Amino acid sequence: GQNIDQPTEMTATEGAIVQINCTYQTSGFNGLFWYQQHAGEAPTFLSYNVLDGLEEKGRFSSFLSRSKGYSYLLLKELQMKDSASYLCAVMDSNYQLIWGAGTKLIIKP
Amino acid sequence: ETGVTQTPRHLVMGMTNKKSLKCEQHLGHNAMYWYKQSAKKPLELMFVYNFKEQTENNSVPSRFSPECPNSSHLFLHLHTLQPEDSALYLCASSQDRGSGANVLTFGAGSRLTVL
């Protein structure tokens, strides 16, 4: 079967760096997405990786290793507003999105 | 108004009621989706419409009935629901279906409670 694994919850300190990991086993691969979802709000798109390597967007970076079935989202200079759930999703060979259960990130002052 | 708008934001209904969820997008997208989001579970895709045609129904019980009258509007009609159907129902849209970089734009969801 197809599976996405990510930690259920993580805690980090304001101003620090946190890395949220995502491992996947899917039928084929057409890209990996990260979304951010604040409580009670819509998930919003953060990043898309289809080739190996690191994509940087301001304080957020996303890394992909297709051979290892592995990605991470790196958040630098954490701010209180980064407290949210982070959803990892992989598009399989049929262009179906397979979702992880999300990682709830708690930022402490 | 831009983005994806869902109404109502909150809905409480009995098991014998009939209600509808509404979704509207003003992004010019051709594909629209209904997802179910339950606590600590992955998003569950329910239905997909592409150019107003239903292209996917992921074994959703018939008590959920989608309707897509045009490319901007999507409804989810609810009838004789069960308490386990209580969840957040998310609508999303994307430019099209079946391409790699298919970014979804989500609405804020309709929180449904079935008593």
Side-chain angles (χ1 to χ4, degrees):
Chain A
Q2 308 200 88
N3 193 53
I4 308 283
D5 284 317
Q6 50 181 133
T8 303
E9 188 174 298
M10 298 181 72
T11 302
T13 304
E14 190 177 15
I17 299 172
V18 71
Q19 177 174 310
I20 302 174
N21 295 327
C22 171
T23 57
Y24 63 89
Q25 293 174 310
T26 57
S27 302
F29 181 84
N30 275 305
L32 184 143
F33 298 79
W34 285 96
Y35 284 80
Q36 179 190 60
Q37 185 179 22
H38 286 101
E41 298 183 15
T44 55
F45 170 74
L46 286 178
S47 66
Y48 170 71
N49 294 68
V50 67
L51 299 176
D52 289 351
L54 188 68
E55 296 272 348
E56 296 186 72
K57 265 190 200 179
R59 293 188 300 114
F60 291 13
S61 303
S62 56
F63 172 83
L64 175 67
S65 169
R66 287 172 296 170
S67 62
K68 295 182 179 178
Y70 168 68
S71 172
Y72 66 74
L73 182 68
L74 191 72
L75 291 71
K76 301 177 184 176
E77 301 169 18
L78 286 170
Q79 302 175 11
M80 297 303 293
K81 68 178 181 179
D82 297 329
S83 291
S85 288
Y86 292 85
L87 312 179
C88 174
V90 172
M91 186 164 283
D92 70 11
S93 57
N94 293 320
Y95 297 100
Q96 304 284 342
L97 268 180
I98 313 302
W99 293 85
T103 298
K104 182 178 180 180
L105 178 63
I106 299 167
I107 309 297
K108 295 187 174 179
Chain B
E1 192 173 342
T2 58
V4 178
T5 304
Q6 290 188 242
T7 54
R9 291 294 310 277
H10 300 274
L11 178 63
V12 178
M13 58 187 290
M15 289 192 287
T16 57
N17 291 158
K18 288 185 184 181
K19 297 285 184 183
S20 295
L21 307 181
K22 179 182 176 182
C23 176
E24 189 172 356
Q25 58 98 0
H26 300 279
L27 300 167
H29 288 169
N30 299 311
M32 295 188 78
Y33 311 75
W34 279 117
Y35 278 94
K36 177 182 179 182
Q37 186 175 39
S38 303
K40 299 184 180 180
K41 288 187 177 180
L43 289 179
E44 297 176 46
L45 180 64
M46 299 175 72
F47 302 103
V48 182
Y49 280 80
N50 202 26
F51 292 94
K52 300 189 298 177
E53 297 297 320
Q54 187 180 131
T55 57
E56 287 177 56
N57 174 341
N58 281 358
S59 304
V60 180
S62 60
R63 57 186 184 269
F64 294 92
S65 173
E67 179 189 0
C68 189
N70 56 61
S71 58
S72 298
H73 293 86
L74 187 64
F75 294 89
L76 188 62
H77 303 299
L78 315 171
H79 174 53
T80 322
L81 295 191
Q82 305 297 312
E84 60 264 29
D85 297 322
S86 298
L88 182 68
Y89 289 85
L90 290 167
C91 175
S93 69
S94 66
Q95 187 59 51
D96 56 25
R97 183 93 172 120
S99 64
N102 191 32
V103 176
L104 298 177
T105 301
F106 285 89
S110 294
R111 172 69 63 185
L112 173 66
T113 303
V114 181
L115 301 176

